[in-house]
Amino acid sequence: MFEMFKGMRIISMRLDHVPEQFLKQAEINKSRGPAFTLFYNDEVLGIGGICDFWSGVGEAWICPIAEFNRLKELAKEIYIEVDNMKKFLIEHDGYYRIQGTIRTDFPIGRKFAENLGFVCEGVLSKYFEDGQDAYMMALVV
């Protein structure tokens, strides 16, 4: 468990933290690599983790659960917690490439990833189920 700010903490993800609409995908993701829940006091802000492809390479996933305005209000604290977790996973789990997709109509998501050190490697056309394009973001260490 990591705790940098009073009340902010990351723990190993339990499925009872996951809203019903995300449960099936969260179960799959949890079975494929490390998965975590981000809390502020007793409030679940989001879940996320990395789905392992092979040794050292994985796909990051994040599922915000709290309301957007609440996440904005705690953005600095969330960034620091996620950045610390990223560093821990690189150091202790041996990741040398972490990648992930972000919707092109979600500029805040791209900015968040860039602040964590991810770079855009290109655009995946009609990637999401609704036909929206995605940025392929990657962090290579």
Side-chain angles (χ1 to χ4, degrees):
M1 179 177 78
F2 295 89
E3 186 168 359
M4 290 287 296
F5 292 93
K6 188 78 173 150
M8 187 74 67
R9 68 190 192 286
I10 294 177
I11 66 167
S12 184
M13 186 181 78
R14 295 192 336 246
L15 294 176
D16 62 328
H17 301 149
V18 181
E20 185 67 33
Q21 70 266 34
F22 305 123
L23 189 56
K24 183 178 178 183
Q25 191 61 50
E27 288 175 329
I28 293 168
N29 290 355
K30 185 175 180 167
S31 73
R32 296 183 58 208
F36 307 95
T37 303
L38 176 63
F39 283 92
Y40 181 70
N41 295 323
D42 292 329
E43 178 185 7
V44 175
L45 299 178
I47 57 174
I50 299 177
C51 293
D52 293 328
F53 285 164
W54 46 82
S55 181
V57 178
E59 179 100 12
W61 61 276
I62 295 177
C63 179
I65 293 174
E67 292 294 323
F68 182 73
N69 286 338
R70 182 67 168 144
L71 296 173
K72 253 177 99 171
E73 176 184 311
L74 295 168
K76 180 179 179 184
E77 293 87 349
I78 292 169
Y79 163 77
I80 290 171
E81 289 294 317
V82 173
D83 191 52
N84 286 332
M85 179 56 71
K86 174 200 77 175
K87 291 172 185 172
F88 176 83
L89 290 170
I90 289 168
E91 182 178 328
H92 294 293
D93 289 2
Y95 288 102
Y96 60 87
R97 179 184 174 87
I98 302 171
Q99 65 185 40
T101 55
I102 298 175
R103 295 175 64 91
T104 56
D105 62 353
F106 188 50
I108 292 172
R110 179 176 173 167
K111 184 72 171 166
F112 186 79
E114 289 172 340
N115 286 339
L116 290 169
F118 286 74
V119 296
C120 182
E121 293 187 330
V123 175
L124 305 172
S125 298
K126 298 185 187 257
Y127 179 82
F128 289 102
E129 188 174 347
D130 64 357
Q132 182 63 45
D133 295 346
Y135 296 117
M136 173 52 76
M137 306 294 290
L139 173 69
V140 180
V141 294

